[in-house]
Amino acid sequence: MTQITIPRPDDWHLHLRDGEMLKAVAPQTAQHFARAIIMPNLVPPVVTGAQASAYRDRILAALPEGSTFEPLMVLYLTEDTDPKDVAAAHASGLVKAVKLYPAGATTNSNSGVRNFDNVRPVLEKMAEIGLPLCVHGEVTTHEVDIFDREATFIDTVLDPLRKATPGLRVVMEHITTKEGVDYVSAQGSDMGGTITTHHLIINRNHILVGGIKPHYYCLPVAKREIHRRALVEAATSGNPHFFLGTDSAPHTDDAKESPCGCAGCFTATNTMQLLAHVFDAEGKLNALTKFASENGPKFYGLPVNTNSLTLTKKSETATWPSKIASAAGPVTVFDPGFPVYWHIEN
Ligand code: DOR
Ligand code: ZN
């Protein structure tokens, strides 16, 4: 097959930031995607319905003229989050999920959750109203090796939390391990898992062999090849538990190429071309529709987009800018390290 047309894809995990960075990166996602779940880890975080509404307005203002891109807003769960505010923001249609960051797990997660008992009332309200919880699935315990933090989180936090809150819809985000794939697959339809573009492409050798590659560093960090293979098999299986969440996370080059570089891969620009390559290489191009366009809306109870995106495989390589300019500085676009022949037609 050299051409595929899919319903317009959505991104179920995206960082758009704010200010000058937002203006630079929002058009990149809006080029190819109809909707995206917008991460709330700004400084200060997007905690209340009022903050989400104001942030949504800033996103819409940053879109190109005539864009129909729809930001799906998310509240940042803190130990002070008010269940009534969450319920009102959901009832108004503004908010589509709540995000759980274990405190200290990643970029701007300091306002996240330390004591899970303190967020029980919010989780119970969310289970009652059917509002999904998006989870950054890593423990932050110093003694736990960074490569084991996802698997440990499943056993010690995620599974107990789900058992204590029956009916809560949960997305385990950016899964990076076979354990993550196995856990999510074994659950019912109240559990989903997002997979990023970069975790389908790189393993930990790509980050560390032959010199340290700061633009491949993200959290959760890429794991061994057996885990990458498990992710590729899950994404290309068509299994409704799994859908695309790019975790495209822009940082300026000076923040990435630093003695203490930030975590995040910026893939908004070339995700769809890269996914077509990965699915084609597996002989599973037809499963791209489910992964990028159907399974996510189904989990969130939203309609599949009615417009489409066409990708064509050509003899010449696909190109994209290597960096996106922003007034805050350049942002490097994820480089898969191999030539890609899939081009976007519309
Ligand atoms: O690599 C990451 N970057 N992982 C996250 O969880 C957060 C994100 C960011 O905001 O930069
Ligand atoms: Zn993220």
Side-chain angles (χ1 to χ4, degrees):
M1 200 183 335
T2 56
Q3 188 168 74
I4 181 170
T5 296
I6 63 174
R8 204 90 183 152
D10 303 303
D11 184 349
W12 301 96
H13 181 136
L14 175 68
H15 297 269
L16 286 180
R17 315 297 191 206
D18 212 343
E20 293 301 330
M21 186 62 90
L22 168 64
K23 285 184 199 147
V25 300
Q28 297 294 307
T29 288
Q31 281 190 92
H32 304 153
F33 294 90
R35 298 170 291 199
I37 279 277
I38 309 298
M39 286 298 121
N41 62 334
L42 306 181
V43 189
V46 180
V47 175
T48 65
Q51 288 167 333
S53 176
Y55 184 32
R56 183 173 182 278
D57 290 345
R58 298 198 295 280
I59 295 169
L60 293 176
L63 294 174
E65 190 81 21
S67 172
T68 57
F69 175 77
E70 191 187 345
L72 306 174
M73 305 311 292
V74 178
L75 298 180
Y76 185 119
L77 182 62
T78 73
E79 293 182 17
D80 299 322
T81 293
D82 175 4
K84 287 201 275 311
D85 182 62
V86 171
H90 173 248
S92 73
L94 172 71
V95 158
K96 299 291 187 245
V98 173
K99 172 77 186 230
L100 165 64
Y101 286 105
T106 187
T107 312
N108 303 332
S109 62
N110 283 340
S111 315
V113 177
R114 288 180 171 77
N115 180 351
F116 286 84
D117 290 339
N118 293 338
V119 295
R120 290 237 54 82
V122 184
L123 299 182
E124 272 153 26
K125 176 55 81 180
M126 289 169 61
E128 181 192 319
I129 64 181
L131 180 60
L133 181 72
C134 295
V135 174
H136 182 107
E138 288 188 287
V139 292
T140 53
T141 330
H142 282 295
E143 301 73 60
V144 179
D145 188 277
I146 192 165
F147 291 100
D148 298 333
R149 288 181 173 198
E150 180 172 297
T152 304
F153 182 87
I154 294 169
D155 296 337
T156 62
V157 181
L158 181 60
D159 196 56
L161 181 144
R162 291 185 60 244
K163 286 191 172 130
T165 327
L168 182 65
R169 301 180 65 69
V170 177
V171 183
M172 185 170 178
E173 301 198 279
H174 40 50
I175 55 174
T176 59
T177 56
K178 182 174 180 319
E179 288 87 344
V181 169
D182 290 346
Y183 181 78
V184 171
S185 317
Q187 311 306 311
S189 60
D190 56 353
M191 179 89 218
T194 58
I195 302 177
T196 76
T197 314
H198 49 284
H199 288 118
L200 293 174
I201 293 174
I202 59 167
N203 63 34
R204 64 195 203 176
N205 278 13
H206 292 89
I207 310 172
L208 295 169
V209 172
I212 192 159
K213 317 294 188 315
H215 295 287
Y216 287 162
Y217 172 63
C218 66
L219 288 171
V221 69
K223 311 292 192 300
R224 288 175 184 272
E225 178 64 6
I226 54 158
H227 297 290
R228 189 190 71 84
R229 281 302 316 165
L231 298 173
V232 170
E233 271 154 38
T236 61
S237 67
N239 182 333
H241 283 103
F242 299 107
F243 39 95
L244 173 64
T246 65
D247 198 13
S248 179
H251 293 277
T252 56
D253 282 353
D254 59 355
K256 293 285 295 173
E257 298 165 10
S258 137
C260 184
C262 293
C265 297
F266 181 70
T267 55
T269 308
N270 54 359
T271 274
M272 291 315 300
Q273 299 92 315
L274 298 183
L275 289 178
H277 176 101
V278 168
F279 279 61
D280 185 25
E282 292 297 302
K284 296 284 180 62
L285 209 46
N286 280 330
L288 186 58
T289 300
K290 286 206 158 45
F291 181 68
S293 310
E294 289 180 356
N295 292 348
K298 198 167 172 193
F299 181 88
Y300 277 92
L302 294 169
V304 171
N305 297 308
T306 49
N307 47 357
S308 64
L309 184 80
T310 297
L311 290 131
T312 307
K313 191 178 190 178
K314 300 185 178 171
S315 52
E316 68 269 25
T317 52
T319 57
W320 46 75
S322 62
K323 294 178 194 290
I324 301 299
S326 86
V331 175
T332 293
V333 176
F334 179 78
D335 176 1
F338 48 73
V340 173
Y341 298 96
W342 285 92
H343 297 243
I344 295 195
E345 298 295 329
N346 60 357

